[in-house]
Amino acid sequence: MLNQNDKNAPVRVGIIGLGTVGQGFLRLLLKNREILRERLGFPLTLGGVCEKNPVTLKGLSLPPDCVTYRDWEEMVRDPRISLVVELVGGLDPARTLILEAMKVGKSVVTANKALLAKHGEEIFGSAAAHGVDLGFEASVGGGIPILRTLRESLAGDRIVRLAGIINGTANYILTRMSREGLEFETVLAEAQRQGYAESDPTFDIDGIDSAHKIAILAAMAFGSPVTLEEIPVEGIRHIKPIDLEFGKEFGYVLKLLGIAADHGDSLDIRVHPSFLPEHSLLAEVDGVFNAIELSGQALGPLLLFGRGAGGDPTATAVMGDVMECARGIYHASRAQVPALGFPFSGRIKKALRPLSAIYSEYYLRFMAQDQPGTLSYLAGVLGDRGISIESVIQKGRDRGGSVPVVVTTHRATESQVREALGIIDASVHVTEKTVVIRIEDVSMEGSLS
Ligand code: HSE
């Protein structure tokens, strides 16, 4: 790790990537220069920037002593830069530049959840091997300080469960579909026009971004390496307004959740749309906001709520990490708490439970033939597989030969439900594939069992 030998010299930060978060961080660094110096006890300055887009660069007013690097290699190798902030996003060159910076003894701060979820083991391993610090608070929940909370404030407790709304785009779409009864495609197109959704929204709406974030959260909360490929992921593309309407009649609100629970010998980590009781805290998190609810064995429940994206909020998370790394550089000491909250080599890999083994309540919408005996057939197949019905709604008559019959169940395993639906969906009693939505237990008790 680089040390600051000249105690009168500032710690100089280099930023690679000046998109929304990069520019937010730049603004914060320049605007709060004085407060940063007061809090740190030494100056923290902008040493240089590296941005491929000349139009972006031209639009910024950089201080005269800030170096503009043509490529990241030049910045990473420059001894005047003590600390690298990677805000390029994506897998490459982000991965290579972080590894190269660490190799030359530089601490790194990043917001790159996709990279950490995919290549986290390599990157955390490299930080440990080269004795540098790695800050990544901004990778989950934007400005919400969830990682530091897990790593430091809750370090003495056993975290048993986490559930979070960790994608603002998906939450915005579901909120509008629910409030206005609009189709998914209509809201997505409008969100793209208004700049709330990316032109390629795949990661956000297919649950991939949430999977990146829950992988990082679970690794920190439970001290186990988590592989992205192990996590069952379902997005919101297929959600229909009719199910949001029926959900309301049962007192439920639909949210795309990242869920992670520690069952002692195994972990349950998944991303999918979930119905939540309308008066639960997470159900009330609307629009682009994020929230993460967790349960500690000693602490009980905790909810962190705030802005999960945006340049300025996310920049605060980047800055917290930059300041921590800068202190280490200035005082020639590494952060006392390991990046993941557990010593890198001391972690024990826990197996992930397959989706078939999860235990949940379910919302099932059958498109049933409107004929005598259909309801008793559906109830019979569910009952034969040990699935107990909690309530039933049937509305209207004959929409092209079938009517929606909505059933909510008591707790059952996913394999029981899939087996029953395999039989029902192949029968003459229904005209479409049954819609299945899990109903989440929000008591935040589920744990270590
Ligand atoms: N695309 C993310 C979201 C923000 O919609 O929440 C960055 O993680």
Coordinates of all heavy atoms in Angstrom, one line a residue, residues 111 113 138-142 166-170 196 198 204 209 213 288 290 308-310 314, ligand 1:
A111 N -18.0 1.5 -7.7 CA -19.4 1.3 -7.5 C -19.9 0.2 -8.3 O -21.1 0.0 -8.5 CB -20.1 2.6 -7.9
K113 N -21.2 -3.1 -9.1 CA -21.7 -4.3 -8.5 C -21.6 -5.5 -9.5 O -21.5 -6.6 -9.1 CB -23.2 -4.1 -8.1 CG -24.1 -3.7 -9.3 CD -24.6 -2.3 -9.1 CE -25.1 -1.7 -10.3 NZ -25.1 -0.2 -10.3
A138 N -20.8 2.0 -2.7 CA -21.8 2.5 -3.7 C -22.3 1.4 -4.6 O -23.2 1.7 -5.4 CB -21.1 3.6 -4.5
S139 N -21.8 0.2 -4.4 CA -22.2 -0.8 -5.3 C -23.6 -1.4 -5.0 O -24.3 -2.0 -5.8 CB -21.2 -2.0 -5.3 OG -21.2 -2.6 -4.1
V140 N -24.1 -1.1 -3.8 CA -25.4 -1.6 -3.4 C -26.2 -0.5 -2.7 O -25.7 0.2 -1.8 CB -25.3 -2.8 -2.3 CG1 -26.7 -3.2 -1.9 CG2 -24.5 -3.9 -2.9
G141 N -27.4 -0.2 -3.3 CA -28.3 0.8 -2.6 C -27.8 2.2 -2.8 O -28.3 3.1 -2.0
G142 N -27.0 2.6 -3.8 CA -26.7 4.0 -4.0 C -26.1 4.6 -2.8 O -25.1 4.3 -2.2
I166 N -34.0 -3.3 -4.2 CA -32.6 -2.8 -4.5 C -32.5 -2.5 -6.0 O -31.4 -2.4 -6.5 CB -31.5 -3.8 -4.1 CG1 -31.9 -5.3 -4.4 CG2 -31.3 -3.7 -2.6 CD1 -30.9 -6.3 -3.9
N167 N -33.6 -2.3 -6.7 CA -33.6 -1.8 -8.0 C -34.7 -0.7 -8.2 O -35.9 -1.1 -8.2 CB -33.7 -2.9 -9.1 CG -33.5 -2.3 -10.5 OD1 -34.4 -1.8 -11.1 ND2 -32.2 -2.3 -10.9
G168 N -34.2 0.5 -8.4 CA -35.2 1.6 -8.4 C -36.0 1.6 -9.7 O -37.2 2.0 -9.7
T169 N -35.4 1.2 -10.8 CA -36.2 1.2 -12.1 C -37.3 0.2 -12.0 O -38.5 0.5 -12.4 CB -35.2 0.7 -13.2 OG1 -34.1 1.5 -13.2 CG2 -35.9 0.8 -14.6
A170 N -37.1 -1.0 -11.5 CA -38.2 -2.0 -11.4 C -39.2 -1.5 -10.4 O -40.4 -1.7 -10.6 CB -37.6 -3.3 -10.9
Y196 N -35.9 7.6 -16.6 CA -35.9 6.8 -15.3 C -35.3 5.4 -15.6 O -34.8 4.7 -14.7 CB -37.3 6.6 -14.7 CG -37.8 7.9 -14.1 CD1 -39.0 8.5 -14.5 CD2 -37.1 8.5 -13.1 CE1 -39.5 9.6 -13.9 CE2 -37.5 9.7 -12.5 CZ -38.7 10.2 -12.9 OH -39.2 11.4 -12.3
E198 N -33.0 2.9 -18.4 CA -31.9 2.9 -19.4 C -32.5 2.5 -20.7 O -33.6 1.8 -20.8 CB -30.9 1.8 -19.0 CG -30.3 1.8 -17.6 CD -29.1 2.7 -17.5 OE1 -28.6 3.1 -18.6 OE2 -28.7 3.0 -16.4
D204 N -32.0 -4.2 -15.2 CA -33.0 -3.7 -14.2 C -34.3 -4.5 -14.1 O -34.7 -4.9 -13.0 CB -33.3 -2.3 -14.4 CG -32.0 -1.4 -14.2 OD1 -31.3 -1.7 -13.3 OD2 -31.8 -0.4 -15.0
D209 N -29.6 -6.9 -12.1 CA -29.0 -5.9 -11.2 C -29.2 -6.2 -9.7 O -28.4 -6.1 -8.9 CB -29.5 -4.5 -11.6 CG -29.0 -3.4 -10.7 OD1 -27.8 -3.1 -10.9 OD2 -29.7 -2.9 -9.9
K213 N -26.6 -7.2 -6.6 CA -26.5 -6.6 -5.3 C -26.8 -7.6 -4.1 O -26.1 -7.5 -3.1 CB -27.5 -5.4 -5.3 CG -27.2 -4.3 -6.2 CD -28.3 -3.3 -6.4 CE -27.9 -2.2 -7.4 NZ -29.0 -1.4 -7.9
V288 N -38.7 5.3 -7.3 CA -37.3 4.9 -7.5 C -36.5 4.6 -6.2 O -35.4 4.3 -6.2 CB -36.5 6.0 -8.3 CG1 -37.1 6.1 -9.7 CG2 -36.6 7.3 -7.6
N290 N -35.1 2.9 -2.8 CA -34.6 1.5 -2.4 C -34.8 1.4 -0.9 O -34.8 2.4 -0.2 CB -33.1 1.4 -2.7 CG -32.8 1.1 -4.1 OD1 -31.7 0.6 -4.4 ND2 -33.6 1.4 -5.0
G308 N -31.4 4.9 -4.1 CA -30.6 3.8 -4.5 C -29.8 4.1 -5.8 O -29.1 3.2 -6.3
A309 N -29.9 5.3 -6.3 CA -29.2 5.6 -7.6 C -29.1 7.1 -7.6 O -29.6 7.9 -6.8 CB -30.0 5.1 -8.8
G310 N -28.5 7.6 -8.7 CA -28.4 9.1 -8.9 C -27.0 9.5 -8.6 O -26.3 8.9 -7.7
T314 N -25.2 8.6 -4.8 CA -24.2 7.6 -4.9 C -22.9 8.1 -4.6 O -22.0 7.4 -4.0 CB -24.3 6.9 -6.3 OG1 -25.7 6.5 -6.5 CG2 -23.5 5.6 -6.3
Ligands
HSE1 N1 -30.0 0.7 -12.3 C1 -30.1 0.7 -10.9 C2 -31.5 1.0 -10.4 C3 -29.3 1.8 -10.2 O1 -32.4 1.1 -11.3 O2 -31.8 0.9 -9.3 C4 -27.8 1.5 -10.1 O3 -27.6 0.4 -9.3

